[in-house]
Amino acid sequence: MELIHRNLLIGIHDALQETFFEKNKYADKVIERLLKAHKKWGSQDRAVVSEIFYNIIRWKKRLEYYMGEGVKPGNIYKLILAYLLWSKTKYKKFEEFDGIKTADILKKLEKTSFPSKAIQHSVPEWLAETMEKELGPDWEKEMVALNEQAPTVLRANTLKTSVHELVNELREEQVESFPLKKYPDAVQLEEKKNVFQTSAFKDGLFEVQDASSQKIGEMLDVQDGMRVVDACAGAGGKTLHLAALMKNKGQIIALDIYNWKLAELKRRAKRAGAHNIETRVIEDNKVIKRLHGKADRVLIDAPCSGLGVLKRNPDSKWKIDQDFIDRIKNEQQQILQDYSKMLKIGGKMVYATCSVLPSENNEQVASFLKNNPEYTLIREENIMPSEGYDGFYMALIQRME
């Protein structure tokens, strides 16, 4: 990896500036816009820009230690230089680096210990404390895993293809991949590629969906002909998985508070050939009340801190705080309380988050069950980032009366 073109450096600088200092700007969207705006950049250039951009976001706190100051709008080139020196990336002596004392950075790089665990693992101090308090000594192992780059995993759309056929189809388009044991519909790429340009994607043969995330749809145990409610559907990754598991039979009602997310779900459903999905915007409580006691299955993919998916969303650790987590925990309990009423007696629901914190996961479920004795826990699963994919929690709960 080397950085030898000045326009790439400027692109990385501007994208970091936007991500760190502009409100509601998320890294994945920022980089997407940057790459769209520079259509002439080749695939190698795009890979260099993406990798450096994401790694700097991931390691921001450690890089601030190396450069001897916090990141400000005026010192982003110094931040980039600190990363290039630390990662031993070849680079040209760009004029943007003039005046930066590289000797000071190199001196810091010689040190083998860090003033704090938060600096070592590049997380805010409050988050290091929260992780240690909730996960105990294991928190560092999980943080090491969360600072790795996420592999690209696809879910073969079984409405149109099989895992084996998808691997062959992608190979014909020069994309090497392999099936994953223990994940019936999952295919992992050998290396990062822009799969959205493939005809396999345009034909709806797959969706990008992490291996851990694919376990949620399976846990819900849906059958053909059921009425299933996806209560926090978003743009529909898990909804589409449910449609495939139900072989397009029965009914899926996809709910969300954001209309634009449901519009994206409809677009994706059309490409995937999923015809049994109906979308409804949650404008008020009436939408939920109308469904009380009517669902065979309910999926609650609850809003959460997102700490299990820092591999792919490293910027979120700089955007959230403890207050946010406390607020989201109240919201989770409220959602569990309200949405569980949609289940028929004998029906099952899955409560899932992409968090690794017990306070958002099994503690929420335990609290819900204590207050609602007519529901019982069938099983729960904690998938930790150190297992290789995203961190997720999921609990299968049945309504008994």
Side-chain angles (χ1 to χ4, degrees):
M1 169 116 351
E2 49 186 21
L3 185 61
I4 49 174
H5 300 299
R6 185 164 172 259
N7 62 347
L8 302 187
L9 171 73
I10 293 166
I12 293 165
H13 171 279
D14 294 351
L16 288 169
Q17 176 121 2
E18 200 178 328
T19 305
F20 287 142
F21 299 108
E22 290 186 29
K23 219 171 158 51
N24 300 323
K25 292 295 175 79
Y26 294 93
D28 56 343
K29 298 294 178 213
V30 169
I31 195 77
E32 197 181 299
R33 277 197 302 277
L34 176 70
L35 298 177
K36 260 187 189 161
H38 293 85
K39 289 195 166 64
K40 287 184 179 167
W41 288 353
S43 59
Q44 198 58 46
D45 291 339
R46 288 163 179 273
V48 166
V49 168
S50 297
E51 188 164 324
I52 293 175
F53 169 73
Y54 272 114
N55 278 341
I56 289 175
I57 291 171
R58 199 169 273 123
W59 294 104
K60 174 172 95 90
K61 195 170 179 74
R62 196 192 277 198
L63 294 170
E64 287 174 328
Y65 168 67
Y66 292 144
M67 65 192 234
E69 59 183 312
V71 177
K72 302 186 284 283
N75 65 6
I76 289 174
Y77 283 117
K78 187 176 181 182
L79 177 75
I80 297 171
L81 183 57
Y83 170 75
L84 297 173
L85 292 167
W86 172 52
S87 61
K88 297 185 167 60
T89 303
K90 278 188 180 171
Y91 67 94
K92 271 194 176 169
K93 303 278 193 289
F94 300 108
E95 61 188 67
E96 283 76 9
F97 296 153
D98 291 351
I100 298 171
K101 293 177 180 168
T102 48
D104 293 351
I105 298 171
L106 291 167
K107 200 172 173 186
K108 275 272 181 72
L109 285 171
E110 286 168 16
K111 298 193 174 181
T112 51
S113 62
F114 298 92
S116 74
K117 295 286 186 193
I119 289 170
Q120 182 182 341
H121 298 297
S122 190
V123 290
E125 295 287 348
W126 71 267
L127 184 52
E129 285 168 26
T130 297
M131 298 273 279
E132 186 168 18
K133 189 175 91 186
E134 294 217 22
L135 297 177
D138 278 352
W139 84 274
E140 287 192 77
K141 179 177 81 170
E142 298 311 329
M143 217 40 250
V144 167
L146 286 169
N147 278 326
E148 290 165 0
Q149 202 175 34
T152 304
V153 179
L154 315 178
R155 177 182 57 75
N157 176 14
T158 52
L159 294 173
K160 292 189 169 189
T161 190
S162 68
V163 163
H164 180 68
E165 285 166 358
L166 179 61
V167 168
N168 290 337
E169 186 87 29
L170 289 169
R171 184 170 292 131
E172 283 176 22
E173 299 194 57
Q174 276 71 57
V175 178
E176 290 299 325
S177 63
F178 55 92
L180 290 180
K181 285 176 189 163
K182 298 183 194 167
Y183 302 90
D185 302 330
V187 167
Q188 184 170 322
L189 299 195
E190 295 275 9
E191 56 181 53
K192 274 209 169 332
K193 280 265 175 94
N194 183 2
V195 287
F196 301 116
Q197 297 301 320
T198 62
S199 54
F201 176 73
K202 289 166 189 167
D203 294 341
L205 303 189
F206 68 84
E207 292 289 334
V208 176
Q209 186 180 3
D210 185 77
S212 301
S213 170
Q214 294 185 34
K215 285 195 157 190
I216 294 169
E218 287 162 30
M219 186 185 255
L220 194 57
D221 182 31
V222 292
Q223 311 292 332
D224 314 1
M226 280 184 169
R227 173 181 264 194
V228 177
V229 176
D230 187 349
C232 310
K238 296 176 188 73
T239 324
L240 297 176
H241 190 194
L242 294 174
L245 291 168
M246 292 166 73
K247 304 183 183 68
N248 253 341
K249 293 167 186 163
Q251 181 192 27
I252 300 174
I253 300 169
L255 306 175
D256 204 87
I257 56 171
Y258 298 110
N259 204 358
W260 63 269
K261 288 188 178 180
L262 294 176
E264 171 67 2
L265 191 163
K266 282 183 193 168
R267 202 174 61 77
R268 291 172 74 185
K270 192 176 174 188
R271 188 181 63 237
H275 310 306
N276 62 339
I277 301 168
E278 178 194 329
T279 60
R280 296 183 195 174
V281 184
I282 304 173
E283 290 171 321
D284 52 40
N285 265 356
K286 286 179 193 159
V287 178
I288 307 298
K289 278 185 176 158
R290 281 188 208 110
L291 290 167
H292 277 190
K294 298 213 173 127
D296 298 294
R297 299 284 185 270
V298 173
L299 172 57
I300 299 174
D301 182 20
C304 68
S305 62
L307 293 174
V309 293
L310 291 180
K311 289 183 190 193
R312 62 189 71 256
N313 299 325
D315 55 322
S316 65
K317 62 184 169 182
W318 312 119
K319 294 183 189 298
I320 62 171
D321 54 23
Q322 189 63 52
D323 283 352
F324 172 81
I325 291 182
D326 293 339
R327 277 200 313 278
I328 215 88
K329 286 194 287 203
N330 290 333
E331 204 175 309
Q332 288 163 351
Q333 199 51 240
Q334 194 63 53
I335 284 174
L336 254 174
Q337 205 59 47
D338 293 347
Y339 293 6
S340 59
K341 294 186 176 80
M342 292 188 278
L343 267 189
K344 288 176 181 173
I345 292 169
K348 295 173 189 170
M349 69 177 183
V350 164
Y351 168 80
T353 76
C354 54
S355 175
V356 292
L357 301 181
S359 62
E360 293 184 79
N361 297 338
N362 47 306
E363 289 173 24
Q364 290 286 40
V365 169
S367 171
F368 169 76
L369 295 173
K370 190 177 160 199
N371 297 321
N372 299 273
E374 69 274 28
Y375 294 83
T376 188
L377 178 67
I378 298 172
R379 65 187 177 94
E380 61 186 341
E381 194 173 346
N382 263 308
I383 306 171
M384 300 307 277
S386 57
E387 293 171 46
Y389 299 102
D390 286 341
F392 268 92
Y393 169 81
M394 54 201 85
L396 182 64
I397 298 164
Q398 188 163 18
R399 182 176 182 180
M400 306 307 284
E401 55 186 78

